[in-house]
């Protein structure tokens, strides 16, 4: 039986997942303008930046300045990625709506990315969660490499769900399952989505796909069918983790919104507004982006133009 919902939430991650992987430093003014434009597109949530070590992620070393200068739309939840207590304190000083803590379900990737064992990360994130719970901010946990690790291969699904259960038991508001290097495939996504929904029915469950092997939209459809209603996506299809070998872009926001829209699924996101922001990306980051929609336009664009010319 299909559970495809009529309303899904798109959570834009380009200011964080997108820009963290770029060589060119995008200056603070340009980041603020980008987030402000994204705030008018209809996204449920925007991941604005990360409060990581500036040595680990130099591209986002201006996190506080960006957070302080953006114009907040009350309909958008503003979130930021946080790897440790130091990052959480920095984020909380910015009165962030949500803290998105991160760790990997793969020991090797956690060590490469966060320079800690998974257990060390968990202990630190447990303290972060308890600190955030005494504030008005929401707390989400992003688990990396759920669908496979570029260093270890498949991670046992029982081990993945042991981490999901540990964080769920701490009372987080949301859990994101991340396909960090685009290793997910549809049958696996269906299985993991069904199991995750059963475990987390009363909190927000997000799926975060990368399009490394061209399967991200197919995976999204399968997750939707299983009942997942929240998806991270990235303008232009840029993005990726600098500490995961072979990582490339996220599922492209405009391609995803277009696919859902033509299929009659409401995302609340205005495609034309998204394309207007996306169009500025190549100049901002200094290279072309993988977006299909930016090149091809809406499936009816050409037909509409032809009809007007007749
Ligand atoms: N924000 C700012 N600075 C931080 C910080 C944070 N959240 N956490 C640590 N630091 C600083 C420390 O103060 C220290 O600075 P100093 O050398 O000037 O004294 C330095 O970073 C090293 O601190 P340490 O605790 O030893 O960290 P580390 O070098 O072992 O790195 C992380 C650990 C988690 C901070 C780092 O690996 C990181 O930020 N990773 C994020 C990776 C990421 O975002 N990947 C992509 C998204 S999945
Ligand atoms: Zn990602």
């Amino acid at each position: 039986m299909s559970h495809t919902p009529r309303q899904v939430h798109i959570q834009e991650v380009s200011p964080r997942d997108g820009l963290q992987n770029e060589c060119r430093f995008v200056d603070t003014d340009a980041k603020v303008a980008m987030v402000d434009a994204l705030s008018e597109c209809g996204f449920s949530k925007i991941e604005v930046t990360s409060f990581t070590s500036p040595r680990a992620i130099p591209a986002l070393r201006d996190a506080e300045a960006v957070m302080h200068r953006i114009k907040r739309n009350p309909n958008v939840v503003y979130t930021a990625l946080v790897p440790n207590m130091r990052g959480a304190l920095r984020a909380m000083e910015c009165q962030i709506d949500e803290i998105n803590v991160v760790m990997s379900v793969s020991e090797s990737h956690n060590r490469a990315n966060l320079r800690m064992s998974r257990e060390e990360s968990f202990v630190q994130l447990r303290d972060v969660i308890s600190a955030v719970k005494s504030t008005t901010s929401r707390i989400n946990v992003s688990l990396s490499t759920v669908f496979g690790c570029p260093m270890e291969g498949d991670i046992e699904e029982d081990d993945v769900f042991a981490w999901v259960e540990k964080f769920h038991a701490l009372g987080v508001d949301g859990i994101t399952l991340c396909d960090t290097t685009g290793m997910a495939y549809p049958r696996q996504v269906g299985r993991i989505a069904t199991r995750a929904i059963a475990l987390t029915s009363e909190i927000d469950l997000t799926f975060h796909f990368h399009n490394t092997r061209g399967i991200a939209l197919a995976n999204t459809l399968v997750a939707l069918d299983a009942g997942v209603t929240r998806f991270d996506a990235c303008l232009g299809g840029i993005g990726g983790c600098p500490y995961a070998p072979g990582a490339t872009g996220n599922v492209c926001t405009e391609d995803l919104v277009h696919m859902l829209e033509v299929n009659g699924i409401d995302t609340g996101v205005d495609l034309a507004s998204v394309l207007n922001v996306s169009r500025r990306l190549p100049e901002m980051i200094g290279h072309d982006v993988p977006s299909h929609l930016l090149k091809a336009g809406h499936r009816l664009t050409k037909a509409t133009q032809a009809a007007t010319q007749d």
Side-chain angles (χ1 to χ4, degrees):
M1 190 181 70
S2 166
H3 300 281
T4 302
R6 300 190 63 78
Q7 161 89 63
V8 310
H9 300 272
I10 308 291
Q11 306 174 161
E12 176 60 34
V13 300
S14 54
R16 195 278 298 174
D17 208 333
L19 298 185
Q20 75 181 8
N21 206 25
E22 292 299 326
C23 308
R24 180 191 283 188
F25 180 77
V26 173
D27 71 35
T28 309
D29 286 349
K31 284 178 179 136
V32 171
M34 179 189 188
V35 175
D36 285 350
L38 291 170
S39 290
E40 301 306 314
C41 290
F43 296 111
S44 302
K45 197 186 276 189
I46 298 176
E47 193 163 46
V48 179
T49 186
S50 73
F51 290 91
T52 43
S53 150
R55 229 174 296 156
I57 309 286
L60 303 180
R61 60 180 182 263
D62 54 355
E64 278 86 351
V66 175
M67 273 312 304
H68 283 128
R69 287 175 46 194
I70 55 169
K71 258 195 262 81
R72 298 204 199 180
N73 177 336
N75 299 320
V76 178
V77 171
Y78 294 92
T79 189
L81 196 79
V82 158
N84 58 8
M85 184 56 88
R86 171 84 195 277
L89 296 173
R90 290 175 59 204
M92 284 191 283
E93 288 220 337
C94 298
Q95 272 80 46
I96 194 123
D97 297 331
E98 180 187 272
I99 286 183
N100 181 22
V101 292
V102 63
M103 67 167 277
S104 183
V105 297
S106 143
E107 185 72 14
S108 316
H109 180 248
N110 205 67
R111 285 185 185 277
N113 193 38
L114 303 174
R115 298 162 53 93
M116 284 179 264
S117 68
R118 289 174 298 177
E119 210 43 56
E120 284 167 322
S121 272
F122 181 73
V123 167
Q124 210 165 141
L125 298 185
R126 191 177 56 197
D127 290 345
V128 169
I129 291 165
S130 109
V132 175
K133 279 168 81 79
S134 66
T135 72
T136 54
S137 300
R138 291 167 46 88
I139 180 94
N140 188 79
V141 54
S142 279
L143 296 174
S144 310
T145 68
V146 160
F147 302 86
C149 165
M151 293 163 255
E152 292 186 17
D154 280 328
I155 306 297
E156 284 289 332
E157 283 173 25
D158 285 346
D159 294 347
V160 170
F161 281 98
W163 289 110
V164 171
E165 284 184 20
K166 278 171 92 159
F167 281 105
H168 186 248
L170 296 177
V172 293
D173 300 298
I175 296 183
T176 302
L177 301 185
C178 301
D179 181 24
T180 309
T181 59
M183 291 173 69
Y185 57 94
R187 211 169 258 187
Q188 174 200 37
V189 169
R191 205 169 50 231
I192 290 182
T194 304
R195 193 165 164 185
I197 287 168
L199 270 179
T200 62
S201 59
E202 75 305 351
I203 63 168
D204 290 346
L205 174 69
T206 297
F207 274 41
H208 175 110
F209 291 120
H210 280 256
N211 198 35
T212 319
R213 295 172 176 81
I215 321 181
L217 287 179
N219 286 334
T220 304
L221 286 177
V222 172
L224 258 177
D225 212 36
V228 176
T229 57
R230 291 180 180 272
F231 295 92
D232 284 349
C234 189
L235 207 64
I238 61 170
C241 173
Y243 297 97
T248 60
N250 294 68
V251 65
C252 171
T253 306
E254 52 269 35
D255 293 356
L256 174 62
V257 169
H258 174 263
M259 178 187 76
L260 296 174
E261 193 176 297
V262 297
N263 247 11
I265 296 167
D266 180 18
T267 63
V269 175
D270 182 56
L271 188 54
S273 306
V274 172
L275 284 169
N276 280 338
V277 193
S278 191
R279 210 163 279 130
R280 296 181 224 152
L281 264 182
E283 201 191 320
M284 188 170 155
I285 58 179
H287 60 82
D288 195 15
V289 296
S291 167
H292 288 93
L293 251 272
L294 213 46
K295 298 182 183 80
H298 190 284
R299 65 183 284 277
L300 293 178
T301 307
K302 293 214 167 64
T304 316
Q305 280 167 354
T308 329
Q309 279 158 16
D310 281 350

